[in-house]
Amino acid sequence: MADVRDILELERPVTPELTKESLLNSKKRPVERKIVSKRPEGMHREVFALLYNDNKDAPPLLPTDTVSGYKKTKARLGMKKVRRWEWAPFVNPARTDQAVFHHWKRVSDEQREYPFAKFNKQLDIPTYTLNEYNAHLKTTKWTKQQTDHLFDLAKRFDVRFIIMCDRWERANYGIKSVEDLKERYYEVVGILNKVRNNNGGPVEKKVFVFDAEHERRRKEQLKKLFDRTPKQVEEEQQLLNELKKIEARKKERERKTQDLQKLISQADQQQTEHHQKEQQQHSQHGPAQHGHQSSGTHKKQDKKLNKKKIQQQPRTSKVDSVVSAVESAGIKFTDLRGTGVSLRSQKMKLPANVGQKKAKALEQALQEFKVDPNPPPIEEICVAFNELRSDMVLLCELRTALATCTFELESLKHQYEALCPGKTLNIPAALVNPPADESF
């Protein structure tokens, strides 16, 4: 611009001369610093962002999109004309009173059926004539007036039998239960369908049959189940527990029977193999006497070898494990003397090494003897209660040991009879059938 002014010979404003001092002492333009509010300690960043923004505006009372952010909504303005709306009448076809209502609609929209009328589903309640009733529907329990009133209620309340029973006019038509209404309704519908199908009418897909007696028994059983006392519920639970015990014992007996059958089959198989070997040796040596003598010696040698093998074979027995389990039976409760301050009731707590099966058996035994599982923790009661539970566990182990020994005796008897045909092993009755213990 200075060169242009010189060419046009125009006056130009006097500019100060640039010097070192003027350059050093020139004031810098002030920089505007935005005051940023600091987030308080302990407050999450997301919560702080909801409370404050860059413009330090107050938090909005309602959710809105007008706050300056990453995106601003812009109004889409066009050159089209605004569509007109009108307050138009309409009729709901689901109503039978021809009531006229009004709503807002666009003028350009076509006249359509009210869209919510499709949700008005009507059931097809069958009707009957006087001739059909006299010919097929007469009964001694129901009159025509009662049947007409039933189907009128079914049409009014869409076969909701609970409401129909509540609206039933008992003063004019007597007392009827829900089961009576259902039975009569489905009886009439089934008879009408059969009659009209035989006459060439439209075929129904399914005919419902209602068993009123079964429904009454079902409701009566539910009422009895609901009216049970806590004592009856407890007794039923005890019976179920006893049933589980019986089933468990039955499975155990079946398992033992299978084990015995396996032992017997193995003994029979060994005996048949022995006979086959004897026959093969006899056929090889011939009918000569020398052959007989050699076969006899071979038989004796085979018997001796078999006996030695039987004696040398270690027989798997559960008695040793059961005896060791009985010897270590009982419960060893922990001593809380050197553990500092503790409650006396901790002495009655079962140790951690007691298994769940043993603990459950102990609990059932306490219930059977009607012993309080949580007695007052007096010193004498704690000692006596722990000894009682230890003896109960020992009794359970002894019973298990007795059953195992009985099973072992039976298996040994069958094994002896298989190895020595024609001989029987007599086991004393005191070992097989010990005196019954009715206390537990």
Side-chain angles (χ1 to χ4, degrees):
M1 290 296 295
D3 295 337
V4 174
R5 285 179 181 277
D6 291 339
I7 294 170
L8 296 176
E9 296 180 353
L10 297 176
E11 296 181 358
R12 59 178 180 177
V14 180
T15 57
E17 188 178 355
L18 293 175
T19 59
K20 183 179 180 181
E21 288 78 9
S22 63
L23 289 174
L24 293 175
N25 296 330
S26 60
K27 295 181 178 180
K28 296 181 180 179
R29 293 180 62 184
V31 179
E32 295 182 359
R33 294 184 178 180
K34 294 182 179 181
I35 301 173
V36 181
S37 56
K38 190 177 180 182
R39 176 166 57 89
E41 293 184 1
M43 181 180 290
H44 292 282
R45 178 175 55 83
E46 292 81 2
V47 179
F48 182 73
L50 293 175
L51 296 177
Y52 297 95
N53 53 22
D54 297 337
N55 298 331
K56 294 191 296 181
D57 295 334
L61 298 177
L62 296 173
T64 178
D65 294 335
T66 59
V67 182
S68 60
Y70 294 103
K71 183 179 179 182
K72 290 184 179 180
T73 56
K74 296 181 180 180
R76 297 181 179 179
L77 302 177
M79 301 302 292
K80 295 181 181 180
K81 292 183 180 180
V82 179
R83 293 174 294 183
R84 291 187 59 190
W85 291 73
E86 65 175 354
W87 184 249
F90 72 94
V91 179
N92 187 357
R95 298 175 65 99
T96 57
D97 54 358
Q98 300 298 325
V100 179
F101 303 94
H102 293 76
H103 65 171
W104 287 101
K105 64 180 288 292
R106 295 192 185 101
V107 178
S108 59
D109 292 345
E110 299 178 357
Q111 189 70 24
R112 296 178 182 176
E113 188 181 89
Y114 186 59
F116 294 99
K118 62 183 180 181
F119 297 107
N120 184 35
K121 302 294 183 181
Q122 296 290 336
L123 295 178
D124 187 14
I125 307 299
T127 56
Y128 50 86
T129 61
L130 181 60
N131 295 330
E132 287 177 341
Y133 182 85
N134 293 330
H136 306 287
L137 304 178
K138 268 190 175 181
T139 57
T140 56
K141 296 181 181 179
W142 286 75
T143 62
K144 186 177 185 305
Q145 290 77 15
Q146 289 176 338
T147 308
D148 294 341
H149 183 54
L150 171 64
F151 275 79
D152 182 38
L153 291 176
K155 189 174 183 180
R156 284 170 56 194
F157 300 112
D158 293 334
V159 200
R160 294 181 174 90
F161 289 101
I162 303 296
I163 305 175
M164 291 164 57
C165 182
D166 183 68
R167 297 295 189 273
W168 182 265
E169 296 182 7
R170 296 172 177 81
N172 299 329
Y173 303 106
I175 299 174
K176 297 291 183 181
S177 63
V178 178
E179 290 77 19
D180 296 334
L181 300 182
K182 286 184 179 181
E183 184 180 20
R184 179 58 174 168
Y185 176 80
Y186 289 115
E187 180 187 2
V188 172
V189 171
I191 293 173
L192 290 176
N193 287 335
K194 289 180 181 178
V195 171
R196 291 169 183 174
N197 291 340
N198 294 333
N199 295 335
V203 179
E204 292 288 338
K205 294 182 179 180
K206 188 176 182 181
V207 177
F208 295 97
V209 178
F210 180 74
D211 191 354
E213 291 299 326
H214 175 74
E215 184 69 12
R216 290 189 186 97
R217 289 195 303 269
R218 186 184 70 84
K219 286 188 175 181
E220 185 179 356
Q221 291 173 357
L222 286 176
K223 188 175 182 302
K224 290 180 180 178
L225 187 66
F226 183 76
D227 293 339
R228 288 182 304 169
T229 60
K231 187 176 180 180
Q232 292 174 343
V233 175
E234 184 180 359
E235 183 181 358
E236 183 180 356
Q237 189 64 35
Q238 290 178 357
L239 291 175
L240 291 175
N241 294 334
E242 291 295 329
L243 179 61
K244 290 180 181 178
K245 290 180 184 178
I246 293 170
E247 291 178 352
R249 288 197 292 267
K250 182 180 178 182
K251 290 181 180 179
E252 186 69 19
R253 285 196 299 270
E254 290 177 354
R255 186 182 63 81
K256 291 179 180 180
T257 305
Q258 290 177 359
D259 294 341
L260 286 174
Q261 291 293 337
K262 288 180 181 178
L263 290 173
I264 293 170
S265 61
Q266 289 176 0
D268 294 339
Q269 187 177 2
Q270 290 177 0
Q271 189 174 3
T272 54
E273 289 177 356
H274 181 68
H275 285 300
Q276 288 177 359
K277 287 181 180 180
E278 289 181 353
Q279 290 177 0
Q280 289 177 0
Q281 291 174 0
H282 182 71
S283 60
Q284 288 175 0
H285 291 287
Q289 184 177 3
H290 179 70
H292 285 295
Q293 292 176 357
S294 62
S295 64
T297 56
H298 280 297
K299 287 181 183 179
K300 290 180 181 179
Q301 290 177 358
D302 291 337
K303 286 183 180 180
K304 289 180 180 179
L305 289 173
N306 289 331
K307 287 182 180 180
K308 286 182 180 179
K309 287 181 181 179
I310 293 170
Q311 290 176 0
Q312 290 175 0
Q313 286 178 356
R315 187 176 58 86
T316 58
S317 176
K318 298 180 180 178
V319 176
D320 298 334
S321 61
V322 171
V323 170
S324 61
V326 170
E327 289 177 353
S328 61
I331 304 174
K332 295 180 181 179
F333 292 91
T334 57
D335 192 3
L336 303 175
R337 290 182 181 178
T339 58
V341 180
S342 60
L343 297 174
R344 194 183 290 117
S345 59
Q346 294 294 320
K347 294 182 179 180
M348 297 188 298
K349 188 177 180 181
L350 289 175
N353 58 357
V354 178
Q356 185 177 2
K357 184 177 180 181
K358 192 179 293 185
K360 194 168 184 180
L362 186 60
E363 183 181 354
Q364 291 177 358
L366 291 174
Q367 290 180 0
E368 183 178 355
F369 288 108
K370 297 180 181 180
V371 178
D372 187 6
N374 296 312
I378 306 172
E379 186 69 29
E380 293 80 5
I381 292 179
C382 288
V383 176
F385 188 60
N386 290 342
E387 291 178 356
L388 174 64
R389 291 187 293 176
S390 181
D391 293 340
M392 285 182 175
V393 172
L394 178 60
L395 182 59
C396 292
E397 294 292 340
L398 288 173
R399 284 199 155 194
T400 306
L402 178 61
T404 306
C405 293
T406 305
F407 173 72
E408 289 289 332
L409 286 174
E410 290 293 331
S411 61
L412 287 172
K413 179 181 177 182
H414 288 288
Q415 190 174 1
Y416 177 78
E417 291 176 356
L419 294 175
C420 301
K423 295 182 180 181
T424 57
L425 181 63
N426 296 323
I427 300 174
L431 295 177
V432 179
N433 298 317
D437 185 9
E438 299 179 356
S439 61
F440 183 66

